[in-house]
Amino acid sequence: MSKNYQQVLALVFAVEKINKDPHFLPNISLGFRLYDNNYNGGQTYENVISLLSERDKLTLIPPPLYGYESYYGYGQPSYNMMGTEDAEKVTIFPNYNCQGHKKMVAVIGGLTSESSVQMANMLDVYKLPQIHSVLKKTHFNNSAVEDAFLNGTGELAMYDILNWIQLDNGSLVSVNVGEVTLHSTKNYSIAINEKMTLWNGKFIQPPHSVCSNKCLPGFHKMPLKANPKCCFQCTECPKGAISNQSDMDFCMKCKEDFYPNKARNKCILKSITFLSYTEPLGIVSVSIALYSFLLSALVLAMFIKHRDSAIVKANNRHLSYILLSSLMLCFLCSLLFIGQPRKMTCLLRQTAFGIIFSVSLATILAKTITVVLAFKATKPGSGTRKWLRPRLSYFFIMVCSLIQAVICIVWLGTSPPFPDADFYSEPGHIILECNESSPAALYSILGYMGLLALVSFIVAFLARKLPDRFNEAKFITFSMLVFCTVWMAFIPTYLSTKGKYMVAVEIFSILTSGVGLLGCIFLPKSYVILLHLDRNQKVQITSKYFHK
C-alpha cells in the first residue's frame, strides 16, 4: 500500500541522515532489515526466525520490489532487497550467525499490535528488546505532500476508517470511508464520508460504540460490577440532588434553601412557610380563640352580675372568677403560636400556656376539694370547717401554680426555646418554627398539668354522688375526662406531624380543652341562671337531701 511505502521511505531517510552526520553516532553506522508479513501470523514467525539466523546466500535485486531487506552494523551499511522470485534460494540456519561485525541492538514492532505480540513471544527467548518507535513527536510532510505526525509512542497518527460490506456471494470487502488524523497530542480531526457508508439492514443509523445508553439529566451513571468501565446503568438522582447534564458520574446536592424539581435536573428556591394569620387554618384558629375568649368574658360578667344568687355562692364564686379569668387567658395564649416565630414569642408561648393552664387546673382541684370539705363540715362535730377558709384555697392555687412556674424558669434559664428553620421536613419549603430546645422540659410541663388533672378527676369522681343540690363534682369529673382525653391524644399526634401542622395540633388541643372546661363546668350554671330562676334559690340543707 502507498502509505506503508511512505513509512519505509521515512525510515530509510532517517537512517541515512544519521549515518551521514558524524556528530550523531561517531564511528558507528546504522542498518536495518525490513520484512513484510502480509498480515499473516505464520509469516511473522518465519520472519523473526530469519532475522535471528544467518543465511547461506544473499541475492541483490534492484529496487523497488515487494520486500525490503537491509543490514546494519559497523562501517558502511548495505541495503539488500529480497524479491519473491529469489525466496526459494535462501536457506535459514536457526541460531547460527557468522557475521560477528554486525550487531543487532533492537527490533521494531509490527504495524499492528497483534504482530508485535507474536514477535515478542519469540524475541523474549533471545532477550532482545522490541520497540515501537524510532522517532517520537515528529511532524513532517510525506512523499504525497501530506501532513504526517508521529505521536509519543512513535506511531504514525493517521488512521483509515474502513466500512466492511458483505456482498451477495458472502465475501467481505472494505471501503475507506474516512480518516482520523492526529495533528498534535491534544488536537485531532475525524473525517467521514457518510454517503459512502453502508449499514447493515438492522441499523438505520450509526451504532453507538458503548454498551450502555446515554444517561439523561436527572440521572447519573452507576458502574456495573464485573463489566467494563464503559458499561453502566442509569440511576435516578437521590433525594435532594440533581444532574443537569447527560452522562454525569454523580449528582450534585442542592443547597439548603433549594430543592430539586420533579425531573431532578434543576434546583428551585424553597418557599418560606409558617402558620400565619392570613391563611385559612390561621383564620379559623384565631376566630375560635377570640370567640371562646368573648364567651368566657360573658360568663364571667354574668357570674359577677348574679354574684349573690344561690348557685354562684354555693360553688365558691371567687374560685369561679379565678377559673374564668384563667380560661380567658388560655384562649388568648393560643394566639402566641400563630404568626412568624420571634424570639419573644418562642420564649413565652409554651411557658405562658403551662402556667395559665396550671392555674386553671389548680383552681378546679381547689373547687373539688372545697365541695368535699363542705359536705363533711355539715356533719355534727366535724372539725373540717376551719379548712373552708378562702385564703387556704388561694394559697393552694398559688403553690400549685408556683411549681409550674419554677419548671418554666429552669427551662428558660438552661435551654430556652429559639426561632429556627427546618429545611428538610417538607420538600420545597423552609419551615419557620420555634425550636423547643429541651423536649424534656416541654414534657415536664405537660406531665405536671396531667398530674393536676388526674388528681382533680379522682377527687371529683369520688365526690360526684354527694347529696348537695348545687354539687358540681359531676361536671368537674366530666370536664377532667375531656381534658385528659384531649391531651393524651395530643402527644402522638404532635409527634407525627411536621411544620405548621404541628403548631395547629397544639392550638387545637389548647382550645378544645379550654372549651371543654368552660362548657362542662359553667354551661349548666349559666342555664340555671338565665332560664330557671326558680331553681336559683337558697335552700336550707336538711335531711331530705341525704336520701341516697
Side-chain angles (χ1 to χ4, degrees), residues 52-96:
L52 298 172
S53 306
E54 185 55 79
R55 313 181 198 205
D56 63 345
K57 184 176 181 180
L58 296 175
T59 304
L60 298 179
I61 302 174
L65 283 178
Y66 165 80
Y68 302 91
E69 181 182 275
S70 175
Y71 288 97
Y72 56 89
Y74 298 98
Q76 293 297 323
S78 60
Y79 304 99
N80 298 313
M81 312 299 178
M82 182 178 66
T84 55
E85 66 274 18
D86 298 295
E88 296 179 356
K89 302 177 182 179
V90 178
T91 304
I92 298 176
F93 295 93
N95 299 323
Y96 176 76

Side-chain angles (χ1 to χ4, degrees), residues 113-415:
S113 58
E114 181 182 5
S115 61
S116 297
V117 172
Q118 293 168 349
M119 294 170 61
N121 292 333
M122 297 187 67
L123 295 174
D124 184 60
V125 177
Y126 294 89
K127 306 302 180 184
L128 285 175
Q130 180 183 179
I131 61 177
H132 293 279
S133 62
V134 173
L135 304 174
K136 295 185 178 181
K137 299 182 180 179
T138 302
H139 181 262
F140 58 93
N141 290 332
N142 56 26
S143 59
V145 198
E146 295 177 341
D147 286 340
F149 180 80
L150 296 178
N151 60 18
T153 60
E155 298 175 353
L156 187 64
M158 298 175 65
Y159 305 93
D160 291 331
I161 300 176
L162 302 179
N163 180 202
W164 289 89
I165 303 172
Q166 186 175 13
L167 302 178
D168 295 337
N169 58 7
S171 62
L172 292 175
V173 295
S174 62
V175 178
N176 191 332
V177 296
E179 187 177 64
V180 179
T181 304
L182 184 62
H183 303 291
S184 65
T185 56
K186 296 183 179 180
N187 184 20
Y188 63 92
S189 61
I190 301 177
I192 299 179
N193 190 345
E194 296 184 1
K195 295 182 179 180
M196 297 181 60
T197 305
L198 297 179
W199 299 101
N200 185 289
K202 297 180 180 179
F203 299 99
I204 59 175
Q205 60 183 2
H208 296 287
S209 60
V210 293
C211 58
S212 301
N213 294 326
K214 180 183 293 186
C215 289
L216 299 176
F219 295 82
H220 70 102
K221 297 191 295 185
M222 181 69 69
L224 297 175
K225 294 183 179 179
N227 283 277
K229 292 183 178 180
C230 63
C231 296
F232 53 84
Q233 66 179 7
C234 297
T235 304
E236 188 178 15
C237 288
K239 183 179 179 180
I242 66 162
S243 62
N244 54 8
Q245 298 179 7
S246 300
D247 284 338
M248 291 190 66
D249 294 325
F250 56 88
C251 297
M252 302 178 294
K253 194 172 182 63
C254 291
K255 295 181 180 179
E256 277 191 338
D257 51 346
F258 286 81
Y259 73 101
N261 60 350
K262 188 175 182 180
R264 298 194 179 181
N265 57 10
K266 183 180 180 181
C267 289
I268 304 175
L269 183 65
K270 293 181 178 179
S271 60
I272 296 176
T273 181
F274 57 89
L275 184 59
S276 67
Y277 291 97
T278 57
E279 62 179 295
L281 189 59
I283 293 174
V284 172
S285 300
V286 171
S287 301
I288 296 176
L290 295 179
Y291 175 79
S292 302
F293 172 81
L294 293 176
L295 185 61
S296 302
L298 290 175
V299 174
L300 177 60
M302 182 179 62
F303 266 59
I304 294 175
K305 181 180 179 180
H306 298 86
R307 60 184 176 276
D308 295 327
S309 62
I311 194 171
V312 175
K313 294 175 64 176
N315 291 286
N316 197 327
R317 57 188 174 186
H318 297 290
L319 293 182
S320 297
Y321 299 159
I322 296 175
L323 179 56
L324 286 169
S325 300
S326 62
L327 286 177
M328 292 170 60
L329 295 176
C330 285
F331 294 132
L332 290 180
C333 77
S334 64
L335 300 178
L336 295 173
F337 292 81
I338 306 175
Q340 183 173 347
R342 307 287 183 182
K343 181 178 181 180
M344 189 56 63
T345 56
C346 289
L347 291 174
L348 290 179
R349 67 181 193 177
Q350 297 290 3
T351 54
F353 151 70
I355 294 174
I356 295 172
F357 249 101
S358 295
V359 173
S360 301
L361 294 173
T363 304
I364 294 173
L365 181 57
K367 286 172 69 67
T368 309
I369 295 174
T370 300
V371 172
V372 176
L373 293 178
F375 175 77
K376 290 185 177 181
T378 60
K379 295 181 179 181
S382 175
T384 58
R385 184 176 296 273
K386 61 182 178 179
W387 296 104
L388 294 176
R389 297 174 183 176
R391 292 183 179 180
L392 291 178
S393 299
Y394 302 151
F395 178 76
F396 177 80
I397 295 173
M398 184 179 65
V399 171
C400 292
S401 304
L402 185 62
I403 294 175
Q404 186 72 288
V406 170
I407 297 175
C408 294
I409 292 173
V410 172
W411 183 13
L412 296 179
T414 55
S415 183

